Amino acid sequence: MQKNYQEFLELLNQERKDECVIYIMELFNSGFSVKEVYEQYIIPSLAEYECNSDVEEICIWKEHTRTSIIRTILESSYPYLIKQKKEKINKSIIVACPQLEYHEIGAIINTNFFILEGFDAKYIGANTPSEQIISAVKILKPDYLALSITNYYNIVATKKLIETLKEDNKEIKVIIGGQATKNPLTIAQLKYDYILQSYEDIVMFKENLL
Ligand code: B12
């Protein structure tokens, strides 16, 4: 059966979780790659979402319901990701959302993109307090810390986090990404090393390392 994005979107809009998961699993089984499924189905289904209610509470729980379905799909994609990932490149990376940043799907997806490209990548969570991020860097000693920032008001906390982190961990390179990092004026105050936004950016970043 020929599948298309609109069909999946309809199931997701109706919050029919089981059918959404089955739909995506059938895509994988018919030969779609993890990258294709994420880019053609998962990312647009959230990025293009607009709540059709004027009541904020309704919008928030509906967004949670939607992301919960997407999270289940992302977890279910992991066995396919294991099969599709490239040779290891001996570079480690911790991915996190800074404190008060609850938008985490972009962080999870990009952790998986790094893994697909052979990085040893670990996602440590949404709304992660600065001291926990710093602790993870001290203990795990990754080559890179990647921060996913969606809301502009989290830039100030991110600025402080990067400054504190770099005081004691001079070697660490900081990558930033996410909607709040797309505006050059907003990020001018951040002491980051790299800015990446997509799978293609990750591929180019890797090519420059090798
Ligand atoms: C789902 C959602 C939520 C969920 C998130 C649940 C979860 N577990 O993640 C919940 C309900 C928690 C939520 C809450 C809020 N949300 Co909200 N939310 C969304 C929604 C619908 C989808 C976000 C998403 O997951 N997109 C899909 C991912 C894959 O896309 P992405 O995050 O942009 O990431 C992509 C790139 O940016 C990049 N990327 C991201 N990070 C990184 C990191 C690296 C290293 C790399 C390489 C790339 C990368 O790769 C991804 C793939 O392309 C958006 C709508 C939208 N248009 O984005 C609003 C949106 C992001 N939310 C918004 C707002 C305002 C809020 C609230 C303030 C609402 C409120 N009144 O409470 C709160 C704030 C919560 C907080 N403190 O963080 C605004 C943000 C406006 C702004 N720019 O400041 C948006 C844009 C809605 C809107 N049109 O107004 N939200």
Side-chain angles (χ1 to χ4, degrees), residues 108-132:
I108 296 172
I109 284 178
N110 283 284
T111 305
N112 288 354
F113 283 164
F114 279 115
I115 294 172
L116 274 173
E117 282 302 311
F119 286 83
D120 172 10
K122 203 181 252 105
Y123 171 61
I124 63 164
N127 180 27
T128 315
S130 296
E131 52 284 13
Q132 289 175 19

mmCIF file of all heavy atoms in Angstrom, residues 108-132:
data_model
loop_
_atom_site.group_PDB
_atom_site.id
_atom_site.type_symbol
_atom_site.label_atom_id
_atom_site.label_comp_id
_atom_site.label_asym_id
_atom_site.label_seq_id
_atom_site.Cartn_x
_atom_site.Cartn_y
_atom_site.Cartn_z
ATOM 1 N N ILE A 108 16.085 15.067 21.049
ATOM 2 C CA ILE A 108 16.089 13.594 20.930
ATOM 3 C C ILE A 108 16.400 13.195 19.484
ATOM 4 O O ILE A 108 17.237 12.325 19.222
ATOM 5 C CB ILE A 108 14.732 13.007 21.395
ATOM 6 C CG1 ILE A 108 14.514 13.281 22.887
ATOM 7 C CG2 ILE A 108 14.665 11.504 21.102
ATOM 8 C CD1 ILE A 108 13.128 12.919 23.406
ATOM 9 N N ILE A 109 15.724 13.857 18.547
ATOM 10 C CA ILE A 109 15.937 13.521 17.130
ATOM 11 C C ILE A 109 17.400 13.750 16.732
ATOM 12 O O ILE A 109 18.024 12.912 16.070
ATOM 13 C CB ILE A 109 14.982 14.360 16.246
ATOM 14 C CG1 ILE A 109 13.576 13.763 16.348
ATOM 15 C CG2 ILE A 109 15.457 14.426 14.788
ATOM 16 C CD1 ILE A 109 12.507 14.500 15.572
ATOM 17 N N ASN A 110 17.966 14.855 17.166
ATOM 18 C CA ASN A 110 19.349 15.135 16.766
ATOM 19 C C ASN A 110 20.355 14.251 17.485
ATOM 20 O O ASN A 110 21.407 13.942 16.925
ATOM 21 C CB ASN A 110 19.652 16.628 16.888
ATOM 22 C CG ASN A 110 19.041 17.370 15.713
ATOM 23 O OD1 ASN A 110 19.570 17.309 14.603
ATOM 24 N ND2 ASN A 110 17.885 17.999 15.923
ATOM 25 N N THR A 111 20.026 13.806 18.701
ATOM 26 C CA THR A 111 20.880 12.794 19.348
ATOM 27 C C THR A 111 20.926 11.565 18.446
ATOM 28 O O THR A 111 21.993 11.000 18.167
ATOM 29 C CB THR A 111 20.305 12.398 20.734
ATOM 30 O OG1 THR A 111 20.133 13.572 21.526
ATOM 31 C CG2 THR A 111 21.218 11.415 21.449
ATOM 32 N N ASN A 112 19.740 11.164 17.954
ATOM 33 C CA ASN A 112 19.697 9.982 17.080
ATOM 34 C C ASN A 112 20.425 10.234 15.754
ATOM 35 O O ASN A 112 21.065 9.328 15.215
ATOM 36 C CB ASN A 112 18.245 9.555 16.853
ATOM 37 C CG ASN A 112 17.649 8.931 18.115
ATOM 38 O OD1 ASN A 112 18.347 8.727 19.099
ATOM 39 N ND2 ASN A 112 16.371 8.629 18.090
ATOM 40 N N PHE A 113 20.354 11.468 15.249
ATOM 41 C CA PHE A 113 21.096 11.787 14.017
ATOM 42 C C PHE A 113 22.612 11.661 14.261
ATOM 43 O O PHE A 113 23.336 11.117 13.428
ATOM 44 C CB PHE A 113 20.773 13.209 13.544
ATOM 45 C CG PHE A 113 19.429 13.354 12.846
ATOM 46 C CD1 PHE A 113 18.857 14.609 12.665
ATOM 47 C CD2 PHE A 113 18.752 12.255 12.350
ATOM 48 C CE1 PHE A 113 17.638 14.766 12.003
ATOM 49 C CE2 PHE A 113 17.528 12.398 11.687
ATOM 50 C CZ PHE A 113 16.974 13.656 11.513
ATOM 51 N N PHE A 114 23.066 12.169 15.413
ATOM 52 C CA PHE A 114 24.505 12.023 15.734
ATOM 53 C C PHE A 114 24.868 10.537 15.807
ATOM 54 O O PHE A 114 25.906 10.114 15.297
ATOM 55 C CB PHE A 114 24.827 12.694 17.079
ATOM 56 C CG PHE A 114 25.026 14.195 17.014
ATOM 57 C CD1 PHE A 114 24.150 15.067 17.653
ATOM 58 C CD2 PHE A 114 26.103 14.744 16.332
ATOM 59 C CE1 PHE A 114 24.335 16.454 17.598
ATOM 60 C CE2 PHE A 114 26.301 16.124 16.275
ATOM 61 C CZ PHE A 114 25.412 16.978 16.911
ATOM 62 N N ILE A 115 24.019 9.743 16.445
ATOM 63 C CA ILE A 115 24.298 8.296 16.572
ATOM 64 C C ILE A 115 24.359 7.657 15.180
ATOM 65 O O ILE A 115 25.256 6.863 14.885
ATOM 66 C CB ILE A 115 23.228 7.611 17.456
ATOM 67 C CG1 ILE A 115 23.330 8.124 18.895
ATOM 68 C CG2 ILE A 115 23.378 6.081 17.417
ATOM 69 C CD1 ILE A 115 22.207 7.664 19.822
ATOM 70 N N LEU A 116 23.413 8.034 14.319
ATOM 71 C CA LEU A 116 23.407 7.477 12.952
ATOM 72 C C LEU A 116 24.723 7.761 12.236
ATOM 73 O O LEU A 116 25.190 6.969 11.432
ATOM 74 C CB LEU A 116 22.266 8.101 12.140
ATOM 75 C CG LEU A 116 20.893 7.457 12.250
ATOM 76 C CD1 LEU A 116 19.855 8.306 11.515
ATOM 77 C CD2 LEU A 116 20.879 6.039 11.697
ATOM 78 N N GLU A 117 25.315 8.916 12.523
ATOM 79 C CA GLU A 117 26.561 9.309 11.857
ATOM 80 C C GLU A 117 27.802 8.767 12.572
ATOM 81 O O GLU A 117 28.919 9.146 12.236
ATOM 82 C CB GLU A 117 26.631 10.829 11.734
ATOM 83 C CG GLU A 117 25.762 11.380 10.607
ATOM 84 C CD GLU A 117 26.111 10.793 9.229
ATOM 85 O OE1 GLU A 117 27.291 10.777 8.862
ATOM 86 O OE2 GLU A 117 25.178 10.327 8.528
ATOM 87 N N GLY A 118 27.608 7.915 13.587
ATOM 88 C CA GLY A 118 28.743 7.240 14.214
ATOM 89 C C GLY A 118 29.272 7.891 15.485
ATOM 90 O O GLY A 118 30.260 7.430 16.061
ATOM 91 N N PHE A 119 28.625 8.980 15.929
ATOM 92 C CA PHE A 119 29.051 9.609 17.191
ATOM 93 C C PHE A 119 28.565 8.737 18.360
ATOM 94 O O PHE A 119 27.551 8.046 18.262
ATOM 95 C CB PHE A 119 28.410 10.997 17.350
ATOM 96 C CG PHE A 119 28.987 12.054 16.466
ATOM 97 C CD1 PHE A 119 28.558 12.183 15.142
ATOM 98 C CD2 PHE A 119 29.951 12.941 16.935
ATOM 99 C CE1 PHE A 119 29.071 13.166 14.311
ATOM 100 C CE2 PHE A 119 30.473 13.928 16.112
ATOM 101 C CZ PHE A 119 30.031 14.044 14.804
ATOM 102 N N ASP A 120 29.285 8.850 19.474
ATOM 103 C CA ASP A 120 28.814 8.238 20.721
ATOM 104 C C ASP A 120 27.995 9.336 21.422
ATOM 105 O O ASP A 120 28.541 10.170 22.137
ATOM 106 C CB ASP A 120 30.048 7.828 21.545
ATOM 107 C CG ASP A 120 29.680 7.357 22.932
ATOM 108 O OD1 ASP A 120 28.486 7.160 23.196
ATOM 109 O OD2 ASP A 120 30.607 7.205 23.753
ATOM 110 N N ALA A 121 26.689 9.373 21.152
ATOM 111 C CA ALA A 121 25.850 10.488 21.641
ATOM 112 C C ALA A 121 24.878 10.022 22.710
ATOM 113 O O ALA A 121 24.322 8.929 22.634
ATOM 114 C CB ALA A 121 25.075 11.098 20.480
ATOM 115 N N LYS A 122 24.694 10.894 23.721
ATOM 116 C CA LYS A 122 23.834 10.560 24.854
ATOM 117 C C LYS A 122 22.925 11.753 25.142
ATOM 118 O O LYS A 122 23.424 12.870 25.298
ATOM 119 C CB LYS A 122 24.761 10.342 26.062
ATOM 120 C CG LYS A 122 24.178 9.479 27.144
ATOM 121 C CD LYS A 122 25.169 9.373 28.284
ATOM 122 C CE LYS A 122 25.788 8.066 28.385
ATOM 123 N NZ LYS A 122 26.750 7.377 28.216
ATOM 124 N N TYR A 123 21.641 11.502 25.208
ATOM 125 C CA TYR A 123 20.690 12.574 25.557
ATOM 126 C C TYR A 123 20.451 12.531 27.059
ATOM 127 O O TYR A 123 20.085 11.481 27.587
ATOM 128 C CB TYR A 123 19.374 12.350 24.799
ATOM 129 C CG TYR A 123 18.254 13.253 25.244
ATOM 130 C CD1 TYR A 123 18.373 14.644 25.130
ATOM 131 C CD2 TYR A 123 17.087 12.740 25.789
ATOM 132 C CE1 TYR A 123 17.355 15.478 25.556
ATOM 133 C CE2 TYR A 123 16.061 13.575 26.203
ATOM 134 C CZ TYR A 123 16.200 14.941 26.086
ATOM 135 O OH TYR A 123 15.193 15.769 26.507
ATOM 136 N N ILE A 124 20.658 13.655 27.753
ATOM 137 C CA ILE A 124 20.509 13.604 29.224
ATOM 138 C C ILE A 124 19.270 14.329 29.743
ATOM 139 O O ILE A 124 19.062 14.401 30.938
ATOM 140 C CB ILE A 124 21.784 14.091 29.967
ATOM 141 C CG1 ILE A 124 22.084 15.568 29.667
ATOM 142 C CG2 ILE A 124 22.985 13.212 29.644
ATOM 143 C CD1 ILE A 124 23.080 16.180 30.652
ATOM 144 N N GLY A 125 18.451 14.882 28.852
ATOM 145 C CA GLY A 125 17.152 15.329 29.344
ATOM 146 C C GLY A 125 16.718 16.728 28.994
ATOM 147 O O GLY A 125 17.515 17.575 28.587
ATOM 148 N N ALA A 126 15.394 16.935 29.175
ATOM 149 C CA ALA A 126 14.795 18.264 29.039
ATOM 150 C C ALA A 126 14.912 18.977 30.379
ATOM 151 O O ALA A 126 15.123 18.324 31.402
ATOM 152 C CB ALA A 126 13.325 18.114 28.667
ATOM 153 N N ASN A 127 14.795 20.304 30.357
ATOM 154 C CA ASN A 127 14.805 21.094 31.599
ATOM 155 C C ASN A 127 15.888 20.591 32.554
ATOM 156 O O ASN A 127 15.615 20.275 33.706
ATOM 157 C CB ASN A 127 13.408 20.997 32.249
ATOM 158 C CG ASN A 127 13.328 21.786 33.536
ATOM 159 O OD1 ASN A 127 14.044 22.774 33.740
ATOM 160 N ND2 ASN A 127 12.445 21.354 34.436
ATOM 161 N N THR A 128 17.108 20.492 32.066
ATOM 162 C CA THR A 128 18.197 19.942 32.890
ATOM 163 C C THR A 128 18.906 21.078 33.630
ATOM 164 O O THR A 128 19.476 21.974 32.992
ATOM 165 C CB THR A 128 19.239 19.201 32.003
ATOM 166 O OG1 THR A 128 18.528 18.392 31.075
ATOM 167 C CG2 THR A 128 20.150 18.333 32.837
ATOM 168 N N PRO A 129 18.874 21.072 34.968
ATOM 169 C CA PRO A 129 19.527 22.142 35.722
ATOM 170 C C PRO A 129 21.005 22.256 35.349
ATOM 171 O O PRO A 129 21.662 21.236 35.091
ATOM 172 C CB PRO A 129 19.358 21.700 37.182
ATOM 173 C CG PRO A 129 18.165 20.799 37.166
ATOM 174 C CD PRO A 129 18.208 20.104 35.827
ATOM 175 N N SER A 130 21.505 23.496 35.343
ATOM 176 C CA SER A 130 22.891 23.737 34.907
ATOM 177 C C SER A 130 23.889 22.859 35.657
ATOM 178 O O SER A 130 24.820 22.315 35.060
ATOM 179 C CB SER A 130 23.253 25.209 35.116
ATOM 180 O OG SER A 130 22.445 25.993 34.289
ATOM 181 N N GLU A 131 23.688 22.712 37.000
ATOM 182 C CA GLU A 131 24.685 21.920 37.754
ATOM 183 C C GLU A 131 24.704 20.460 37.308
ATOM 184 O O GLU A 131 25.746 19.798 37.334
ATOM 185 C CB GLU A 131 24.515 22.068 39.267
ATOM 186 C CG GLU A 131 23.208 21.837 39.909
ATOM 187 C CD GLU A 131 22.142 22.916 39.783
ATOM 188 O OE1 GLU A 131 22.273 23.861 38.964
ATOM 189 O OE2 GLU A 131 21.148 22.788 40.500
ATOM 190 N N GLN A 132 23.557 19.958 36.835
ATOM 191 C CA GLN A 132 23.539 18.560 36.359
ATOM 192 C C GLN A 132 24.250 18.438 35.007
ATOM 193 O O GLN A 132 24.940 17.454 34.745
ATOM 194 C CB GLN A 132 22.104 18.059 36.261
ATOM 195 C CG GLN A 132 21.481 17.856 37.650
ATOM 196 C CD GLN A 132 20.022 17.473 37.590
ATOM 197 O OE1 GLN A 132 19.533 17.019 36.577
ATOM 198 N NE2 GLN A 132 19.330 17.677 38.699
#
